[in-house]
Amino acid sequence: MSEDNAMATPAPPSTPETEPSMPPTSTEVEPAFGWTRYAEIINGRFAMLGFILVLLIELITHKDFITWLGLR
């Protein structure tokens, strides 16, 4: 008897009664109202886009964003 065979234990048979029920997984996110995963993903993407646009405005005009808006 080798050590590999002595250490291996057979896996219990898989039956529908012993398997935990798993919800179906989906990679698509459905649009919905309120505090949902979809809304947060879209909000984050728009925030990143806005941040990059502000940096580009400052780079092109050589003024900070507050001055560019005329608030200073």
Side-chain angles (χ1 to χ4, degrees):
M1 187 185 281
S2 70
E3 290 181 26
D4 292 333
N5 289 340
M7 297 299 255
T9 57
S14 176
T15 62
E17 293 81 29
T18 60
E19 290 293 319
S21 61
M22 299 283 291
T25 57
S26 175
T27 57
E28 293 185 26
V29 181
E30 295 288 326
F33 291 107
W35 297 94
T36 63
R37 179 173 167 80
Y38 177 79
E40 291 301 312
I41 289 172
I42 294 298
N43 188 25
R45 289 179 182 164
F46 278 118
M48 289 185 278
L49 182 64
F51 185 74
I52 295 299
L53 289 175
V54 166
L55 289 177
L56 287 174
I57 287 171
E58 291 183 3
L59 182 67
I60 292 169
T61 62
H62 301 288
K63 297 180 182 177
D64 61 13
F65 187 66
I66 302 298
T67 304
W68 184 79
L69 286 176
L71 299 175
R72 195 184 330 194

